[in-house]
Amino acid sequence: MKRYLKRWQAACVMAVAACLLAPATVSAQKRGGVANVAVIGEVPTFDPMASTADLVGVITQHYYETLFTFDSKWEVTPLLAATLPEISADGKQYTIALRSGVTFHNGATMTSKDVVDSLKRWTRVAPRGKQVADNIETIEAIDSSHVRITLKEPYVPLLSLLAFNNAAAVIMPAGTSDAAPKQPIGTGPYTFHEYRPDQYLQLTRFDNYASREEAPNNFGGARHQYLDEIRFVPVPDVNTRIEGALTGQYDYAEVIGAEAVDRIKGQAEPFVLKPAVFYLYVLNTQKGPFANVKLRQAMQAALNMEDTLAVAIGRKEFYSANGALYPEGYVWHTDKGVGGHYNTGDLDKATRLVKENYDGTPIRIIATRQNEINYQVALMASEYLKAVGFKVDLQVMDWATLLGRRANPDLWDIFATSTPYLPDPALMATLSESYPGWWVSPERSATFDAMNREIDPEKRKALWADLQAVIYEQAPFMKIGDLNTLAAKSTKLQGMKPSPWPYFWNAYKE
């Protein structure tokens, strides 16, 4: 089993992080200073288990930590765990040794009791925890420094799931209730210090942080706390984020439109992650018109993704109209199911399906202008849907409101979002039955479950190809295209590398 896992982890390398950075002066890391980070809006929760929103993961990873994380090759590496786990020959039992001397922000020492309690909470609260909950036989403490997870049957993506910072299996003090903690207490390099709505979330250095001793390695290895503070500032307007980055008000500004890259050069550093994410439409398959697969297929047929990307992104070098859920160069790349479904712009087929299946109920698209790409792709979908006979209600709101609304199946029919290319398809939030959209299908379950049980990497890839074909046939979500992401970084902020989830440990101010 260990041999297969090693092969599988090696196969999960992602080609991430080709960056366009202006040359910087090399200097020694300095301790001190504040990093002001402009983000697209208010964080909807401070509990990383409870949300799949990337903004939640970006912020909370600084004060909460997981047992495992990902290194620069996107292989699983230990974080709060001392080493990678011992896995039984049948793949059902994971024995995890914990690091000694890890301290929570409240001064308590982390033990196996905290880990067991946190992992059990994760299976109750987190969409990704619920994904594996039914397959967990027990989570138990062997002694104060060892935990054992016993599965009912093998689940190969378990380590990646435990390492992921999205709906994350973070470690909290034992006894944390299922309700979101009002004062988050974790083990991370920074502590939750002050939150002022619409102004900032302030994190401060945790002086008793127990860093790993290895060299920094993406999310793994040492996490140095050079900065005194990190302030996440909600800045909904993209132009305000850009101007703030250019004037030095913000040391880092996320989600900048591709058209701004020339403006940023010289006054700040353009931070480009390539390829970074793919954009997609998510449909409510539980309630409303799109509970009918024929109407989902109608929308899929109507869409012209090439034109949608051209309008939403503008600069061709920042996007690609590619239907495969993993692009070429990734071990999971396959074109199975894509042909005849992606980027067809078949208005005749779409119109026919609408006439045969649609009762006139308005299609509610929820979108935000805090991320202009989100709004533009929603607007394009609205126009295509109206062209084939749908009535459309495009509702524009702030990002936090959108995240809250999408959790209620009575309030929406379509939203757009993005996802990075994850080390394992099992980590895709849209494949979870508890993710907004709530795609439940016998074909999905049979293929997805078989893929997660299979330990042979080649057989897993074949099952993923089958699952991609099911996705295109049933259209619970629709890939728009591949995107490079652009952020603006001050030339004074050093020690950072482009990442799908930017982190500011190891960063310092010159």
Side-chain angles (χ1 to χ4, degrees):
M1 180 66 185
K2 293 180 183 177
R3 183 177 70 257
Y4 284 122
L5 279 172
K6 187 174 181 180
R7 288 171 56 199
W8 168 74
Q9 289 170 351
C12 290
V13 174
M14 296 200 305
V16 180
C19 56
L20 308 176
L21 296 177
T25 302
V26 177
S27 64
Q29 295 92 336
K30 297 180 180 180
R31 188 176 175 92
V34 178
N36 291 298
V37 181
V39 295
I40 65 170
E42 289 285 338
V43 64
T45 178
F46 304 122
D47 181 356
M49 289 191 188
S51 177
T52 56
D54 284 336
L55 180 57
V56 175
V58 167
I59 292 175
T60 61
Q61 65 184 340
H62 293 84
Y63 55 83
Y64 280 126
E65 294 181 310
T66 48
L67 292 172
F68 307 98
T69 189
F70 294 108
D71 65 16
S72 59
K73 294 182 178 181
W74 292 94
E75 296 179 8
V76 175
T77 190
L79 183 55
L80 291 177
T83 61
L84 290 176
E86 293 184 7
I87 304 173
S88 62
D90 62 4
K92 296 181 181 181
Q93 198 171 80
Y94 291 66
T95 302
I96 303 168
L98 306 178
R99 289 170 55 206
S100 61
V102 174
T103 305
F104 285 108
H105 299 152
N106 63 2
T109 299
M110 182 192 75
T111 70
S112 58
K113 181 178 179 181
D114 303 300
V115 174
V116 168
D117 200 63
S118 296
L119 294 181
K120 288 181 176 179
R121 182 183 188 270
W122 178 66
T123 64
R124 297 190 302 268
V125 172
R128 298 189 186 280
K130 293 176 182 177
Q131 182 176 321
V132 71
D134 289 344
N135 190 28
I136 294 178
E137 187 75 48
T138 58
I139 303 173
E140 57 188 338
I142 301 173
D143 54 36
S144 63
S145 60
H146 290 82
V147 170
R148 180 170 293 152
I149 301 173
T150 302
L151 305 177
K152 297 174 184 176
E153 56 187 25
Y155 186 80
V156 175
L158 179 63
L159 285 185
S160 289
L161 209 58
L162 292 174
F164 199 23
N165 76 341
N166 185 279
V170 297
I171 305 306
M172 303 175 171
T176 302
S177 69
D178 285 357
K182 294 181 179 179
Q183 180 65 35
I185 297 173
T187 61
Y190 288 86
T191 65
F192 187 102
H193 184 74
E194 183 181 24
Y195 171 59
R196 294 192 177 185
D198 300 318
Q199 296 184 51
Y200 60 79
L201 169 62
Q202 180 188 22
L203 308 182
T204 57
R205 181 191 293 115
F206 178 41
D207 289 327
N208 292 324
Y209 176 64
S211 174
R212 295 194 70 90
E213 296 181 355
E214 303 94 329
N217 188 353
N218 194 21
F219 293 95
R223 295 183 171 187
H224 299 296
Q225 312 145 278
Y226 299 121
L227 297 168
D228 291 334
E229 299 179 16
I230 308 167
R231 290 197 178 200
F232 292 96
V233 183
V235 186
D237 182 71
V238 62
N239 291 317
T240 305
R241 293 199 296 275
I242 294 172
E243 292 302 321
L246 295 179
T247 61
Q249 181 180 3
Y250 305 124
D251 299 293
Y252 188 92
E254 69 165 1
V255 192
I256 304 300
E259 72 282 354
V261 66
D262 294 328
R263 289 179 62 197
I264 294 170
K265 290 178 179 177
Q267 301 182 68
E269 293 181 358
F271 233 45
V272 179
L273 185 62
K274 177 183 180 181
V277 299
F278 70 83
Y279 248 80
L280 65 157
Y281 297 114
V282 180
L283 279 58
N284 183 351
T285 68
Q286 185 179 100
K287 291 187 176 181
F290 292 128
N292 184 338
V293 66
K294 295 295 183 183
L295 292 180
R296 302 200 299 267
Q297 291 170 345
M299 175 178 172
Q300 183 173 250
L303 297 173
N304 184 314
M305 301 306 193
E306 184 76 51
D307 289 351
T308 297
L309 290 164
V311 170
I313 311 301
R315 296 179 65 137
K316 177 65 178 175
E317 65 268 30
F318 275 84
Y319 70 85
S320 173
N322 167 38
L325 296 179
Y326 282 88
E328 290 186 14
Y330 287 76
V331 68
W332 299 103
H333 172 73
T334 175
D335 287 320
K336 188 169 184 177
V338 175
H341 293 295
Y342 176 78
N343 194 33
T344 61
D346 191 340
L347 300 183
D348 290 339
K349 176 183 177 181
T351 301
R352 174 177 56 80
L353 289 170
V354 170
K355 286 181 178 179
E356 293 174 353
N357 298 279
Y358 183 50
D359 64 3
T361 302
I363 304 297
R364 298 158 299 175
I365 305 176
I366 54 176
T368 181
R369 297 209 76 155
Q370 291 171 228
N371 179 338
E372 191 63 16
I373 296 174
N374 182 283
Y375 173 72
Q376 292 296 335
V377 298
L379 189 62
M380 290 296 288
S382 173
E383 294 305 309
Y384 284 120
L385 291 174
K386 288 188 285 188
V388 298
F390 285 106
K391 295 178 182 178
V392 177
D393 177 13
L394 177 58
Q395 303 174 8
V396 182
M397 60 200 69
D398 64 80
W399 183 239
T401 300
L402 188 152
L403 291 176
R405 188 165 297 187
R406 78 181 190 184
N408 187 336
D410 295 319
L411 299 181
W412 65 277
D413 299 298
I414 303 171
F415 71 86
T417 188
S418 63
T419 180
Y421 308 100
L422 301 168
D424 193 293
L427 300 180
M428 287 187 184
T430 46
L431 296 179
S432 171
E433 293 180 349
S434 62
Y435 182 78
W438 305 282
W439 180 38
V440 177
S441 156
E443 295 81 8
R444 167 229 168 264
S445 296
T447 310
F448 188 59
D449 293 348
M451 181 184 75
N452 291 334
R453 289 192 302 268
E454 180 56 62
I455 62 175
D456 183 281
E458 295 304 315
K459 291 180 180 178
R460 291 198 80 225
K461 286 190 287 185
L463 286 164
W464 164 243
D466 293 341
L467 182 55
Q468 180 174 278
V470 173
I471 292 167
Y472 269 100
E473 181 61 32
Q474 298 190 6
F477 57 89
M478 299 162 198
K479 181 179 178 181
I480 303 171
D482 299 320
L483 276 68
N484 305 335
T485 59
L486 173 66
K489 185 185 73 64
S490 167
T491 56
K492 296 180 180 179
L493 184 65
Q494 298 296 312
M496 290 189 66
K497 295 182 179 180
S499 169
W501 307 282
Y503 53 89
F504 298 89
W505 59 81
N506 298 334
Y508 59 96
K509 300 288 284 288
E510 285 196 329

